[in-house]
Coordinates of all heavy atoms in Angstrom, one line a residue:
M1 N 20.1 -43.8 -7.6 CA 20.3 -43.9 -9.1 C 19.0 -43.5 -9.8 O 19.0 -42.6 -10.6 CB 20.7 -45.3 -9.5 CG 21.0 -45.5 -10.9 SD 22.8 -45.4 -11.1 CE 23.0 -45.9 -12.8
L2 N 17.9 -44.1 -9.4 CA 16.6 -43.8 -10.1 C 16.2 -42.3 -9.8 O 15.7 -41.6 -10.6 CB 15.5 -44.7 -9.6 CG 14.1 -44.5 -10.1 CD1 14.1 -44.7 -11.7 CD2 13.1 -45.4 -9.5
G3 N 16.5 -41.9 -8.6 CA 16.2 -40.5 -8.1 C 16.7 -39.4 -9.1 O 16.0 -38.6 -9.5
L4 N 18.0 -39.5 -9.4 CA 18.6 -38.5 -10.3 C 18.0 -38.6 -11.7 O 17.7 -37.6 -12.3 CB 20.1 -38.7 -10.3 CG 20.9 -37.7 -11.2 CD1 20.6 -36.3 -10.8 CD2 22.4 -38.0 -11.2
G5 N 17.9 -39.8 -12.2 CA 17.3 -40.0 -13.5 C 15.9 -39.5 -13.6 O 15.5 -38.8 -14.6
A6 N 15.1 -39.7 -12.6 CA 13.7 -39.2 -12.6 C 13.7 -37.7 -12.5 O 12.9 -37.1 -13.2 CB 13.0 -39.8 -11.4
L7 N 14.6 -37.2 -11.7 CA 14.7 -35.7 -11.6 C 15.0 -35.1 -13.0 O 14.4 -34.1 -13.4 CB 15.7 -35.3 -10.6 CG 15.8 -33.8 -10.3 CD1 14.5 -33.3 -9.7 CD2 16.9 -33.6 -9.3
L8 N 15.9 -35.7 -13.7 CA 16.3 -35.2 -15.0 C 15.2 -35.2 -16.0 O 15.1 -34.4 -16.9 CB 17.6 -35.9 -15.5 CG 18.9 -35.7 -14.7 CD1 20.0 -36.6 -15.2 CD2 19.3 -34.2 -14.8
L9 N 14.3 -36.2 -15.9 CA 13.2 -36.4 -16.8 C 12.1 -35.4 -16.4 O 11.4 -34.9 -17.3 CB 12.7 -37.8 -16.8 CG 13.6 -38.8 -17.4 CD1 13.0 -40.2 -17.2 CD2 13.7 -38.6 -18.9
V10 N 11.9 -35.2 -15.2 CA 10.8 -34.3 -14.7 C 11.0 -32.9 -15.0 O 10.1 -32.2 -15.5 CB 10.5 -34.5 -13.2 CG1 9.6 -33.5 -12.7 CG2 10.0 -35.9 -12.9
E11 N 12.2 -32.4 -14.9 CA 12.5 -31.0 -15.1 C 12.1 -30.4 -16.5 O 11.4 -29.4 -16.5 CB 14.0 -30.7 -14.8 CG 14.2 -29.2 -14.8 CD 15.6 -28.9 -14.3 OE1 16.2 -29.6 -13.5 OE2 16.1 -27.8 -14.7
P12 N 12.4 -31.1 -17.6 CA 12.0 -30.6 -18.9 C 10.4 -30.6 -19.0 O 9.9 -29.7 -19.6 CB 12.6 -31.5 -19.9 CG 13.8 -32.2 -19.2 CD 13.3 -32.2 -17.7
V13 N 9.8 -31.6 -18.4 CA 8.3 -31.6 -18.5 C 7.7 -30.4 -17.8 O 6.8 -29.8 -18.3 CB 7.8 -33.0 -17.9 CG1 6.3 -32.9 -17.7 CG2 8.2 -34.1 -18.7
L14 N 8.3 -30.1 -16.6 CA 7.8 -29.0 -15.9 C 8.0 -27.7 -16.7 O 7.2 -26.8 -16.7 CB 8.4 -28.9 -14.5 CG 8.0 -30.0 -13.5 CD1 8.8 -29.8 -12.2 CD2 6.5 -29.9 -13.2
A15 N 9.2 -27.6 -17.3 CA 9.5 -26.4 -18.1 C 8.6 -26.2 -19.2 O 8.4 -25.1 -19.7 CB 10.9 -26.5 -18.6
Q16 N 7.9 -27.2 -19.7 CA 7.0 -27.1 -20.9 C 5.6 -27.0 -20.5 O 4.7 -27.1 -21.4 CB 7.2 -28.4 -21.8 CG 8.6 -28.5 -22.4 CD 8.8 -29.7 -23.2 OE1 7.9 -30.6 -23.2 NE2 9.9 -29.9 -23.8
Q17 N 5.3 -26.8 -19.2 CA 3.9 -26.6 -18.8 C 3.2 -25.5 -19.6 O 3.8 -24.4 -19.8 CB 3.8 -26.4 -17.4 CG 3.8 -27.6 -16.5 CD 3.5 -27.4 -15.1 OE1 3.7 -26.3 -14.6 NE2 3.1 -28.4 -14.4
E18 N 2.0 -25.8 -20.1 CA 1.3 -24.8 -20.9 C 0.8 -23.7 -20.1 O 0.3 -23.8 -18.9 CB 0.1 -25.6 -21.5 CG -0.8 -24.7 -22.3 CD -2.0 -25.5 -22.9 OE1 -2.7 -26.2 -22.1 OE2 -2.2 -25.5 -24.1
V19 N 0.9 -22.5 -20.6 CA 0.4 -21.3 -20.0 C -0.8 -20.8 -20.9 O -0.6 -20.6 -22.1 CB 1.4 -20.2 -19.9 CG1 0.8 -18.9 -19.3 CG2 2.6 -20.6 -19.1
L20 N -1.9 -20.8 -20.3 CA -3.1 -20.4 -21.1 C -3.3 -18.9 -21.1 O -3.2 -18.3 -20.0 CB -4.4 -21.1 -20.5 CG -4.9 -22.3 -21.2 CD1 -6.2 -22.8 -20.4 CD2 -5.2 -22.1 -22.6
L21 N -3.7 -18.3 -22.2 CA -4.0 -16.9 -22.3 C -5.4 -16.7 -21.5 O -6.3 -17.4 -21.7 CB -4.2 -16.5 -23.7 CG -4.5 -15.0 -24.0 CD1 -3.3 -14.1 -23.6 CD2 -4.8 -14.8 -25.5
K22 N -5.4 -15.7 -20.6 CA -6.6 -15.4 -19.9 C -7.2 -14.1 -20.6 O -6.5 -13.3 -21.0 CB -6.3 -15.1 -18.5 CG -5.8 -16.3 -17.7 CD -5.6 -15.9 -16.2 CE -4.7 -16.8 -15.6 NZ -3.7 -16.2 -14.6
D23 N -8.6 -14.0 -20.5 CA -9.3 -12.9 -21.0 C -8.7 -11.6 -20.5 O -8.8 -10.5 -21.1 CB -10.8 -13.0 -20.7 CG -11.4 -14.2 -21.4 OD1 -10.7 -15.0 -22.0 OD2 -12.7 -14.2 -21.4
S24 N -8.2 -11.6 -19.2 CA -7.8 -10.4 -18.5 C -6.3 -10.1 -18.8 O -5.9 -9.0 -18.4 CB -8.0 -10.6 -17.0 OG -7.3 -11.7 -16.6
D25 N -5.6 -10.9 -19.5 CA -4.2 -10.6 -19.9 C -4.1 -9.4 -20.8 O -5.0 -9.3 -21.7 CB -3.5 -11.8 -20.5 CG -3.3 -13.0 -19.5 OD1 -3.4 -12.7 -18.3 OD2 -3.0 -14.1 -20.0
S26 N -3.1 -8.6 -20.7 CA -3.0 -7.4 -21.5 C -3.0 -7.8 -23.0 O -3.6 -7.1 -23.8 CB -1.8 -6.6 -21.2 OG -0.6 -7.4 -21.3
E27 N -2.3 -8.9 -23.4 CA -2.3 -9.2 -24.8 C -3.7 -9.7 -25.3 O -4.0 -9.5 -26.5 CB -1.2 -10.2 -25.2 CG -1.3 -11.5 -24.4 CD -0.5 -11.6 -23.1 OE1 -0.7 -10.7 -22.3 OE2 0.3 -12.6 -22.9
A28 N -4.4 -10.3 -24.4 CA -5.8 -10.7 -24.7 C -6.7 -9.5 -24.9 O -7.5 -9.5 -25.9 CB -6.3 -11.6 -23.6
I29 N -6.6 -8.5 -24.1 CA -7.4 -7.3 -24.2 C -7.0 -6.6 -25.5 O -7.9 -6.1 -26.2 CB -7.1 -6.4 -22.9 CG1 -7.7 -7.1 -21.7 CG2 -7.7 -5.0 -23.1 CD1 -7.3 -6.5 -20.4
A30 N -5.8 -6.6 -25.9 CA -5.3 -5.9 -27.1 C -6.0 -6.5 -28.3 O -6.3 -5.7 -29.3 CB -3.8 -6.0 -27.2
I31 N -6.3 -7.8 -28.3 CA -6.9 -8.4 -29.5 C -8.4 -8.8 -29.2 O -9.0 -9.4 -30.0 CB -6.1 -9.7 -30.0 CG1 -6.0 -10.7 -28.9 CG2 -4.7 -9.3 -30.5 CD1 -5.4 -12.0 -29.4
E32 N -8.9 -8.3 -28.1 CA -10.3 -8.6 -27.7 C -10.6 -10.1 -27.7 O -11.6 -10.5 -28.1 CB -11.2 -7.8 -28.6 CG -10.9 -6.3 -28.5 CD -11.5 -5.5 -29.7 OE1 -11.4 -5.9 -30.8 OE2 -12.0 -4.4 -29.4
Y33 N -9.7 -10.8 -27.1 CA -9.8 -12.3 -27.0 C -10.8 -12.7 -26.0 O -10.9 -12.1 -24.9 CB -8.4 -12.9 -26.7 CG -8.4 -14.3 -26.3 CD1 -8.5 -15.3 -27.3 CD2 -8.4 -14.7 -25.0 CE1 -8.5 -16.7 -26.9 CE2 -8.3 -16.1 -24.6 CZ -8.4 -17.0 -25.6 OH -8.4 -18.4 -25.3
R34 N -11.6 -13.6 -26.3 CA -12.5 -14.3 -25.3 C -12.2 -15.8 -25.3 O -12.1 -16.4 -26.4 CB -14.0 -14.1 -25.7 CG -14.4 -12.7 -26.0 CD -14.4 -11.8 -24.7 NE -15.2 -12.4 -23.7 CZ -15.2 -12.1 -22.4 NH1 -14.3 -11.2 -22.0 NH2 -15.9 -12.7 -21.5
S35 N -12.0 -16.3 -24.1 CA -11.7 -17.7 -24.1 C -12.8 -18.7 -24.4 O -12.6 -19.8 -24.7 CB -11.2 -18.1 -22.6 OG -12.1 -17.7 -21.7
D36 N -14.0 -18.1 -24.5 CA -15.2 -18.9 -25.0 C -16.0 -18.0 -25.9 O -16.6 -17.0 -25.5 CB -16.0 -19.3 -23.8 CG -17.2 -20.1 -24.1 OD1 -17.5 -20.3 -25.3 OD2 -17.8 -20.7 -23.2
A37 N -15.9 -18.4 -27.2 CA -16.6 -17.6 -28.2 C -18.1 -17.4 -27.9 O -18.7 -16.4 -28.4 CB -16.4 -18.2 -29.6
A38 N -18.7 -18.3 -27.2 CA -20.1 -18.1 -26.9 C -20.4 -16.9 -26.0 O -21.5 -16.5 -25.9 CB -20.6 -19.4 -26.1
T39 N -19.3 -16.3 -25.4 CA -19.5 -15.2 -24.6 C -19.2 -13.8 -25.3 O -19.3 -12.8 -24.7 CB -18.6 -15.2 -23.3 OG1 -17.3 -15.1 -23.7 CG2 -18.8 -16.5 -22.5
V40 N -19.0 -13.9 -26.6 CA -18.7 -12.7 -27.3 C -19.9 -11.8 -27.4 O -21.0 -12.3 -27.8 CB -18.2 -13.0 -28.8 CG1 -18.0 -11.8 -29.6 CG2 -16.8 -13.8 -28.7
D41 N -19.7 -10.6 -27.1 CA -20.8 -9.6 -27.1 C -21.0 -9.2 -28.6 O -20.2 -8.4 -29.1 CB -20.5 -8.4 -26.2 CG -21.6 -7.4 -26.2 OD1 -22.5 -7.4 -27.1 OD2 -21.5 -6.5 -25.3
T42 N -22.0 -9.7 -29.2 CA -22.2 -9.4 -30.7 C -22.5 -7.9 -31.0 O -22.3 -7.4 -32.1 CB -23.2 -10.3 -31.3 OG1 -24.4 -10.2 -30.5 CG2 -22.8 -11.7 -31.3
A43 N -23.0 -7.2 -30.0 CA -23.3 -5.8 -30.2 C -22.0 -5.0 -30.2 O -21.8 -4.1 -30.9 CB -24.2 -5.3 -29.0
K44 N -21.0 -5.5 -29.3 CA -19.7 -4.8 -29.3 C -18.8 -5.3 -30.4 O -18.0 -4.5 -30.9 CB -19.1 -5.2 -27.9 CG -17.8 -4.4 -27.6 CD -17.4 -4.7 -26.2 CE -16.1 -4.0 -25.9 NZ -15.5 -4.4 -24.6
F45 N -19.0 -6.5 -30.8 CA -18.1 -7.1 -31.9 C -19.0 -7.6 -33.0 O -19.2 -8.8 -33.2 CB -17.3 -8.2 -31.3 CG -16.4 -7.8 -30.2 CD1 -16.6 -8.2 -28.9 CD2 -15.3 -6.9 -30.4 CE1 -15.8 -7.8 -27.9 CE2 -14.5 -6.5 -29.4 CZ -14.8 -7.0 -28.1
P46 N -19.5 -6.7 -33.9 CA -20.4 -7.1 -35.0 C -19.7 -8.0 -36.0 O -20.4 -8.7 -36.7 CB -20.9 -5.8 -35.6 CG -20.0 -4.8 -35.1 CD -19.4 -5.3 -33.8
K47 N -18.4 -8.0 -36.0 CA -17.6 -8.8 -36.9 C -17.8 -10.3 -36.6 O -17.6 -11.1 -37.5 CB -16.2 -8.4 -36.8 CG -15.2 -9.2 -37.7 CD -13.8 -8.7 -37.5 CE -12.8 -9.7 -38.2 NZ -11.4 -9.4 -37.9
Y48 N -18.1 -10.6 -35.3 CA -18.2 -12.0 -34.9 C -19.4 -12.6 -35.5 O -20.5 -12.0 -35.5 CB -18.2 -12.1 -33.4 CG -18.6 -13.5 -32.9 CD1 -17.6 -14.4 -32.9 CD2 -19.9 -13.8 -32.5 CE1 -17.9 -15.7 -32.5 CE2 -20.2 -15.0 -32.1 CZ -19.2 -16.0 -32.1 OH -19.6 -17.3 -31.7
A49 N -19.2 -13.8 -36.0 CA -20.3 -14.6 -36.5 C -20.3 -15.9 -35.8 O -19.3 -16.5 -35.6 CB -20.2 -14.8 -38.0
K50 N -21.5 -16.4 -35.5 CA -21.6 -17.7 -34.8 C -20.9 -18.8 -35.6 O -20.9 -18.9 -36.8 CB -23.1 -18.1 -34.7 CG -23.4 -19.2 -33.7 CD -24.8 -19.4 -33.5 CE -25.0 -20.6 -32.5 NZ -26.3 -20.9 -32.2
G51 N -20.1 -19.6 -34.8 CA -19.4 -20.6 -35.4 C -17.9 -20.3 -35.5 O -17.0 -21.2 -35.8
Q52 N -17.6 -19.0 -35.4 CA -16.1 -18.6 -35.5 C -15.5 -18.9 -34.2 O -16.0 -18.5 -33.1 CB -16.0 -17.1 -35.8 CG -16.5 -16.7 -37.1 CD -16.3 -15.2 -37.3 OE1 -16.0 -14.4 -36.4 NE2 -16.6 -14.7 -38.5
T53 N -14.4 -19.7 -34.2 CA -13.6 -20.0 -33.0 C -12.2 -20.0 -33.4 O -11.8 -20.1 -34.6 CB -14.0 -21.4 -32.4 OG1 -13.7 -22.4 -33.4 CG2 -15.5 -21.5 -32.0
C54 N -11.3 -20.1 -32.4 CA -9.9 -20.2 -32.7 C -9.6 -21.4 -33.6 O -8.8 -21.4 -34.5 CB -9.1 -20.3 -31.4 SG -9.1 -18.8 -30.4
R55 N -10.3 -22.5 -33.3 CA -10.1 -23.8 -34.0 C -10.4 -23.6 -35.5 O -9.7 -24.2 -36.4 CB -11.0 -24.9 -33.5 CG -10.8 -26.2 -34.3 CD -11.5 -27.4 -33.6 NE -10.5 -27.9 -32.6 CZ -10.8 -28.3 -31.4 NH1 -12.1 -28.3 -31.0 NH2 -9.9 -28.8 -30.6
S56 N -11.3 -22.7 -35.9 CA -11.5 -22.4 -37.3 C -10.8 -21.2 -37.9 O -11.0 -20.8 -39.0 CB -13.0 -22.2 -37.5 OG -13.5 -21.1 -36.8
C57 N -9.8 -20.7 -37.1 CA -9.0 -19.6 -37.5 C -7.7 -20.0 -38.2 O -7.1 -21.0 -37.7 CB -8.7 -18.7 -36.3 SG -7.6 -17.3 -36.6
S58 N -7.3 -19.3 -39.2 CA -6.1 -19.6 -39.9 C -4.8 -19.4 -39.1 O -3.8 -20.0 -39.4 CB -6.0 -18.8 -41.2 OG -5.9 -17.4 -40.9
L59 N -4.9 -18.7 -38.0 CA -3.8 -18.5 -37.2 C -3.6 -19.5 -36.0 O -2.7 -19.4 -35.2 CB -3.8 -17.0 -36.6 CG -3.8 -15.9 -37.6 CD1 -4.2 -14.6 -37.0 CD2 -2.4 -15.9 -38.2
Y60 N -4.6 -20.4 -36.0 CA -4.6 -21.4 -34.9 C -3.7 -22.6 -35.3 O -3.9 -23.1 -36.4 CB -6.0 -21.8 -34.6 CG -6.1 -22.8 -33.4 CD1 -5.9 -22.3 -32.1 CD2 -6.5 -24.1 -33.6 CE1 -6.1 -23.2 -31.0 CE2 -6.7 -24.9 -32.5 CZ -6.5 -24.5 -31.2 OH -6.6 -25.3 -30.2
V61 N -2.9 -23.1 -34.4 CA -2.1 -24.3 -34.6 C -2.6 -25.3 -33.7 O -2.4 -25.3 -32.5 CB -0.6 -24.0 -34.4 CG1 0.2 -25.3 -34.6 CG2 -0.1 -22.9 -35.2
E62 N -3.3 -26.3 -34.2 CA -4.0 -27.3 -33.4 C -3.1 -28.5 -33.1 O -2.3 -28.9 -34.0 CB -5.2 -27.8 -34.2 CG -6.0 -28.8 -33.4 CD -7.4 -28.9 -33.9 OE1 -7.7 -28.4 -35.0 OE2 -8.2 -29.6 -33.3
E63 N -3.1 -28.9 -31.9 CA -2.5 -30.2 -31.5 C -3.6 -31.2 -31.5 O -4.6 -31.0 -30.9 CB -1.8 -30.1 -30.2 CG -0.6 -29.2 -30.2 CD 0.2 -29.2 -28.9 OE1 0.1 -30.2 -28.1 OE2 0.8 -28.2 -28.6
K64 N -3.4 -32.3 -32.2 CA -4.4 -33.3 -32.4 C -5.1 -33.6 -31.1 O -4.5 -34.1 -30.1 CB -3.8 -34.5 -33.0 CG -4.8 -35.4 -33.7 CD -4.1 -36.5 -34.4 CE -5.2 -37.4 -35.1 NZ -4.6 -38.5 -35.9
G65 N -6.4 -33.5 -31.0 CA -7.2 -33.9 -29.9 C -7.2 -32.9 -28.7 O -7.9 -33.2 -27.7
A66 N -6.4 -31.9 -28.8 CA -6.3 -30.9 -27.7 C -7.4 -29.9 -27.7 O -7.8 -29.5 -28.8 CB -4.9 -30.3 -27.7
S67 N -7.8 -29.4 -26.5 CA -8.8 -28.3 -26.5 C -8.1 -26.9 -26.5 O -8.8 -25.9 -26.5 CB -9.6 -28.5 -25.2 OG -8.8 -28.4 -24.1
T68 N -6.8 -26.9 -26.5 CA -6.1 -25.7 -26.6 C -5.0 -25.8 -27.7 O -4.6 -26.9 -28.1 CB -5.4 -25.3 -25.3 OG1 -4.5 -26.3 -25.0 CG2 -6.4 -25.1 -24.2
G69 N -4.5 -24.7 -28.2 CA -3.4 -24.7 -29.2 C -2.7 -23.4 -29.2 O -3.0 -22.5 -28.5
A70 N -1.7 -23.3 -30.1 CA -1.0 -22.1 -30.3 C -1.7 -21.1 -31.2 O -2.5 -21.6 -32.1 CB 0.4 -22.4 -30.8
C71 N -1.4 -19.9 -31.1 CA -1.9 -18.8 -32.0 C -0.7 -18.1 -32.6 O 0.2 -17.7 -31.9 CB -2.8 -17.9 -31.2 SG -3.3 -16.4 -32.1
G72 N -0.8 -17.8 -33.9 CA 0.2 -17.1 -34.5 C 0.5 -15.7 -34.1 O 1.6 -15.1 -34.4
I73 N -0.4 -15.1 -33.3 CA -0.2 -13.7 -32.9 C -0.1 -13.6 -31.3 O 0.0 -12.5 -30.8 CB -1.2 -12.7 -33.4 CG1 -2.6 -13.1 -32.9 CG2 -1.1 -12.6 -34.9 CD1 -3.7 -12.0 -33.2
V74 N -0.1 -14.8 -30.7 CA 0.0 -14.8 -29.2 C 1.3 -15.6 -28.9 O 1.4 -16.8 -29.2 CB -1.2 -15.4 -28.5 CG1 -1.0 -15.5 -27.0 CG2 -2.5 -14.6 -28.8
F75 N 2.2 -14.9 -28.2 CA 3.5 -15.6 -28.0 C 3.6 -16.1 -26.6 O 3.3 -15.4 -25.6 CB 4.6 -14.6 -28.3 CG 4.6 -14.2 -29.8 CD1 4.0 -12.9 -30.1 CD2 4.9 -15.0 -30.8 CE1 3.9 -12.5 -31.4 CE2 4.8 -14.6 -32.1 CZ 4.3 -13.3 -32.4
G76 N 4.0 -17.3 -26.4 CA 4.3 -17.9 -25.1 C 3.1 -18.4 -24.4 O 3.2 -18.9 -23.2
K77 N 1.9 -18.3 -24.9 CA 0.7 -18.8 -24.3 C -0.2 -19.5 -25.3 O -0.1 -19.2 -26.5 CB 0.0 -17.6 -23.6 CG 0.7 -16.9 -22.5 CD -0.1 -15.8 -21.9 CE 0.8 -15.1 -20.8 NZ 0.1 -14.0 -20.2
S78 N -1.0 -20.4 -24.8 CA -1.9 -21.1 -25.6 C -3.3 -20.4 -25.5 O -3.6 -19.7 -24.6 CB -2.1 -22.6 -25.1 OG -0.8 -23.2 -25.2
V79 N -4.1 -20.7 -26.5 CA -5.4 -20.2 -26.6 C -6.4 -21.4 -26.6 O -6.1 -22.5 -27.0 CB -5.7 -19.3 -27.8 CG1 -4.8 -18.0 -27.7 CG2 -5.5 -20.0 -29.1
E80 N -7.6 -21.1 -26.2 CA -8.7 -22.1 -26.2 C -9.2 -22.4 -27.6 O -9.4 -21.4 -28.3 CB -9.9 -21.7 -25.3 CG -9.5 -21.6 -23.8 CD -9.6 -22.9 -23.1 OE1 -9.9 -23.9 -23.7 OE2 -9.3 -22.9 -21.9
A81 N -9.4 -23.6 -28.0 CA -9.9 -23.9 -29.3 C -11.3 -23.3 -29.5 O -11.7 -22.8 -30.6 CB -10.0 -25.4 -29.5
K82 N -12.0 -23.1 -28.4 CA -13.4 -22.6 -28.4 C -13.3 -21.0 -28.3 O -14.4 -20.4 -28.2 CB -14.2 -23.2 -27.4 CG -13.8 -22.9 -25.9 CD -14.6 -23.5 -24.9 CE -14.2 -23.1 -23.5 NZ -14.9 -23.7 -22.4
G83 N -12.1 -20.5 -28.2 CA -12.0 -19.0 -28.0 C -12.2 -18.2 -29.3 O -12.6 -18.8 -30.4
W84 N -12.0 -16.9 -29.2 CA -12.2 -16.1 -30.4 C -11.6 -14.7 -30.1 O -11.5 -14.3 -29.0 CB -13.7 -15.8 -30.7 CG -14.0 -14.9 -31.9 CD1 -14.1 -15.3 -33.2 CD2 -14.2 -13.5 -31.9 NE1 -14.4 -14.3 -34.0 CE2 -14.4 -13.1 -33.2 CE3 -14.2 -12.5 -30.9 CZ2 -14.6 -11.8 -33.6 CZ3 -14.4 -11.2 -31.3 CH2 -14.6 -10.8 -32.6
C85 N -11.1 -14.1 -31.2 CA -10.6 -12.7 -31.0 C -10.9 -11.9 -32.3 O -11.3 -12.5 -33.3 CB -9.1 -12.6 -30.6 SG -8.0 -12.6 -32.0
S86 N -10.7 -10.6 -32.2 CA -11.1 -9.7 -33.3 C -10.1 -9.9 -34.5 O -10.4 -9.4 -35.6 CB -11.0 -8.3 -32.9 OG -9.7 -7.9 -32.4
A87 N -9.0 -10.7 -34.4 CA -8.1 -10.9 -35.5 C -8.5 -12.2 -36.2 O -7.8 -12.7 -37.1 CB -6.7 -11.0 -35.0
W88 N -9.6 -12.8 -35.9 CA -10.0 -14.1 -36.5 C -10.1 -14.0 -38.0 O -10.5 -13.0 -38.6 CB -11.4 -14.5 -36.0 CG -11.9 -15.9 -36.5 CD1 -11.7 -17.1 -35.9 CD2 -12.6 -16.1 -37.7 NE1 -12.2 -18.1 -36.7 CE2 -12.8 -17.5 -37.8 CE3 -13.1 -15.3 -38.7 CZ2 -13.5 -18.1 -38.8 CZ3 -13.8 -15.9 -39.8 CH2 -14.0 -17.3 -39.8
E89 N -9.5 -15.0 -38.6 CA -9.5 -15.2 -40.1 C -9.9 -16.6 -40.4 O -9.3 -17.5 -39.9 CB -8.1 -14.9 -40.7 CG -7.8 -13.4 -40.8 CD -6.5 -13.2 -41.6 OE1 -6.2 -14.0 -42.5 OE2 -5.8 -12.3 -41.2
K90 N -10.7 -16.7 -41.4 CA -11.2 -18.1 -41.8 C -10.0 -19.0 -42.2 O -9.2 -18.6 -43.0 CB -12.2 -18.0 -42.9 CG -12.9 -19.3 -43.2 CD -14.0 -19.0 -44.3 CE -14.7 -20.2 -44.8 NZ -14.5 -21.5 -44.4
K91 N -10.0 -20.2 -41.6 CA -9.0 -21.1 -42.0 C -9.3 -21.6 -43.5 O -10.5 -21.9 -43.8 CB -9.1 -22.3 -41.1 CG -7.9 -23.3 -41.2 CD -8.0 -24.4 -40.2 CE -7.4 -24.0 -38.9 NZ -7.3 -25.0 -37.9
P92 N -8.3 -21.6 -44.3 CA -8.6 -22.1 -45.7 C -9.1 -23.5 -45.8 O -8.7 -24.3 -44.9 CB -7.2 -21.9 -46.4 CG -6.3 -21.3 -45.5 CD -6.9 -21.3 -44.1
G93 N -9.9 -23.8 -46.7 CA -10.3 -25.2 -46.9 C -11.6 -25.5 -46.5 O -12.5 -25.1 -46.1
Ligands
LIG101 FE1 -7.9 -17.3 -31.8 FE2 -7.3 -16.7 -34.3 FE3 -7.6 -14.8 -32.5 FE4 -5.5 -16.4 -32.4 S1 -6.0 -14.9 -34.0 S2 -6.8 -15.8 -30.6 S3 -6.4 -18.3 -33.1 S4 -9.2 -16.2 -33.2

């Protein structure tokens, strides 16, 4: 009895496992995403300014207390709060 109930509860949890965007993913390369803004090559990306991260981007959807979140232009994968990409836009406020 418990076995079937436990199985039914576990399956949706597994289906919701987070997939993190990697720097090497094609969609990451397209937006020049770095999973750690501290590694942004400022010579290559002069638009980048220290302090810019996904967390401070208007396209970032933060989950309270999480180190990762959703991005409005990345579908099906999460991004690092400390990440950055060339589409960064200052979060209002
Ligand atoms: Fe991060 Fe914003 Fe780029 Fe999305 S658009 S990857 S939240 S910097």
Side-chain angles (χ1 to χ4, degrees):
M1 185 101 170
L2 179 63
L4 179 59
L7 183 63
L8 292 174
L9 289 173
V10 167
E11 190 171 329
V13 170
L14 291 176
Q16 295 174 356
Q17 278 188 333
E18 179 181 52
V19 178
L20 258 182
L21 182 66
K22 295 182 199 141
D23 294 11
S24 58
D25 290 344
S26 58
E27 61 268 53
I29 292 168
I31 59 173
E32 299 164 319
Y33 170 80
R34 304 295 304 166
S35 55
D36 184 349
T39 67
V40 173
D41 180 347
T42 53
K44 190 174 175 188
F45 302 108
K47 178 183 170 184
Y48 170 77
K50 192 172 180 182
Q52 293 179 353
T53 62
C54 290
R55 180 168 273 140
S56 63
C57 175
S58 64
L59 296 167
Y60 185 70
V61 181
E62 185 164 5
E63 287 184 32
K64 198 172 182 180
S67 61
T68 61
C71 167
I73 60 170
V74 175
F75 302 100
K77 294 182 181 176
S78 298
V79 297
E80 295 277 358
K82 65 181 182 181
W84 181 88
C85 88
S86 60
W88 184 90
E89 278 188 36
K90 187 176 180 357
K91 189 176 277 187

